[in-house]
Amino acid sequence: PKGMESIPEKERFSSFQLVQDLRYRGVDAHYYRNTDALLDDLVRRLKSGDVVLFMSNGIFDHLPERLFSAL
């Protein structure tokens, strides 16, 4: 299988670009430089009754557990 380095940089998936494209279409989307920044924003924004869904192919820097602890 090919690694990321074999895919030209301009053809690689970019979370930042996805957020920019969604915003251009009027969707409220956010990009975070790391999971600490994401956690801080979640803690600030979440209110009682909100639902958070984490979808990841790994442990996602233990973000679900960290959010649970922070709340």
Side-chain angles (χ1 to χ4, degrees):
K2 294 182 178 183
M4 279 293 282
E5 59 279 346
S6 67
I7 300 170
E9 190 169 342
K10 66 181 183 175
E11 294 179 23
R12 295 177 190 169
F13 174 77
S14 166
S15 297
F16 179 79
Q17 188 60 54
L18 173 62
V19 167
Q20 295 304 311
D21 293 345
L22 289 169
R23 285 181 173 176
Y24 178 78
R25 290 168 177 79
V27 176
D28 184 21
H30 304 273
Y31 172 82
Y32 301 92
R33 66 189 181 288
N34 57 43
T35 58
D36 290 335
L38 173 55
L39 177 62
D40 290 345
D41 195 43
L42 284 171
V43 169
R44 192 177 79 248
R45 290 173 180 261
L46 290 175
K47 54 191 178 306
S48 181
D50 285 350
V51 175
V52 177
L53 169 66
F54 290 99
M55 296 175 64
S56 175
N57 63 348
I59 61 173
F60 199 20
D61 198 21
H62 301 282
L63 190 60
E65 295 91 345
R66 291 169 52 209
L67 177 60
F68 225 47
S69 293
L71 297 176

